[in-house]
Amino acid sequence: MSELVFFSGTMDCGKSTLALQIGHNRSARGLQGVIFTRDDRAGEGKLSSRLGLVTEAVEAAAGMDLYGYLVTQMSKGAKVDYVIVDEAQFLAPEQIDQLARVVDELDLDVFAFGITTDFRTKLFPGSQRLIELADRLETLQVEAMCWCGARATHNARTVGGEMVVEGEQVVVGDVNRPAAEIGYEVLCRRHHRKRMTSAAAHAGALSPDVLPVTG
């Protein structure tokens, strides 16, 4: 029985690496799949992981009919045994509906990977629809860590090293970018609530206001 499976987690917890691994395992068994992605860090039409692995993918552009694309490819003789979707949070809810239709009508497994909430802790529309429709939800077991050492549960957007809570929901960036750029950092809930990034914590540690009073 085919399934729509949603693998979720924070940034930097290995989602894309697992997507690549699933594709590799099935390819080794002679199966052929279609990989969709949206706004990957490596550029259009790429699925990449922070470990340096990368493969070609189909860019799931806004307004693209994913079900229609697969039907067209299969009608031309392409062999499709499964579907992988990375950065699924960026898809529109109707595209998630199309993925469910792929499972139900084409009898293909669909493995979707994405983060659930944005930098404001609000659900991405694509992720919300996946939670509503998926046959199975899987939380990745590789835990990203906050700068304090606790389990990271929230994604923070930073500008110049400072956390921001306003702006467009989708701005492509990545962790480990120079502080002057728009970037992202994973935080525990406590430090996300306090808007305390690693840069802010470091600055606070150096502030005279928090140094012990002597003599």
Side-chain angles (χ1 to χ4, degrees):
M1 191 87 176
S2 299
E3 289 185 307
L4 173 57
V5 186
F6 181 32
F7 295 87
S8 67
T10 62
M11 299 180 72
D12 210 21
C13 73
K15 295 182 301 300
S16 297
T17 301
L18 179 58
L20 287 163
Q21 185 67 54
I22 286 177
H24 170 77
N25 290 351
R26 279 159 177 73
S27 177
R29 289 166 44 198
L31 301 176
Q32 296 181 29
V34 170
I35 300 174
F36 291 110
T37 189
R38 170 82 67 84
D39 294 335
D40 188 89
R41 67 184 71 83
E44 183 174 324
K46 302 288 184 182
L47 167 57
S48 65
S49 80
R50 293 186 180 87
L51 298 183
L53 304 172
V54 62
T55 192
E56 297 297 320
V58 177
E59 187 74 12
M64 180 180 182
D65 183 345
L66 306 184
Y67 174 85
Y69 175 88
L70 291 168
V71 169
T72 299
Q73 296 304 306
M74 295 170 74
S75 68
K76 293 179 179 178
K79 185 175 184 287
V80 181
D81 298 304
Y82 63 92
V83 177
I84 290 173
V85 185
D86 198 31
E87 307 293 359
Q89 72 274 5
F90 295 145
L91 299 184
E94 55 267 26
Q95 291 177 310
I96 304 301
D97 289 340
Q98 294 160 12
L99 294 177
R101 189 180 179 192
V102 168
V103 174
D104 296 340
E105 298 186 16
L106 302 183
D107 197 26
L108 300 177
D109 283 319
V110 175
F111 306 100
F113 298 80
I115 58 180
T116 53
T117 58
D118 63 17
F119 68 104
R120 302 165 301 183
T121 71
K122 304 297 183 182
L123 283 169
F124 282 99
S127 297
Q128 178 178 333
R129 193 61 179 145
L130 274 165
I131 292 170
E132 293 166 347
L133 292 182
D135 297 295
R136 183 157 49 96
L137 303 174
E138 297 282 351
T139 301
L140 270 69
Q141 299 303 307
V142 176
E143 295 184 350
M145 297 180 68
C146 178
W147 60 265
C148 69
R151 177 173 176 265
T153 54
H154 291 68
N155 305 292
R157 180 182 294 170
T158 59
V159 177
E162 295 186 3
M163 180 175 159
V164 295
V165 293
E166 295 181 354
E168 294 293 329
Q169 185 175 51
V170 178
V171 175
V172 178
D174 202 359
V175 296
N176 301 321
R177 288 213 172 177
E181 299 182 13
I182 293 177
Y184 290 89
E185 182 175 349
V186 290
L187 300 173
C188 64
R189 185 182 64 233
R190 176 178 300 170
H191 287 125
H192 191 280
R193 288 179 59 245
K194 293 182 176 181
R195 304 186 188 180
M196 185 173 288
T197 63
S198 57
H202 179 70
L206 298 178
S207 170
D209 292 339
V210 297
L211 291 175
V213 177
T214 60

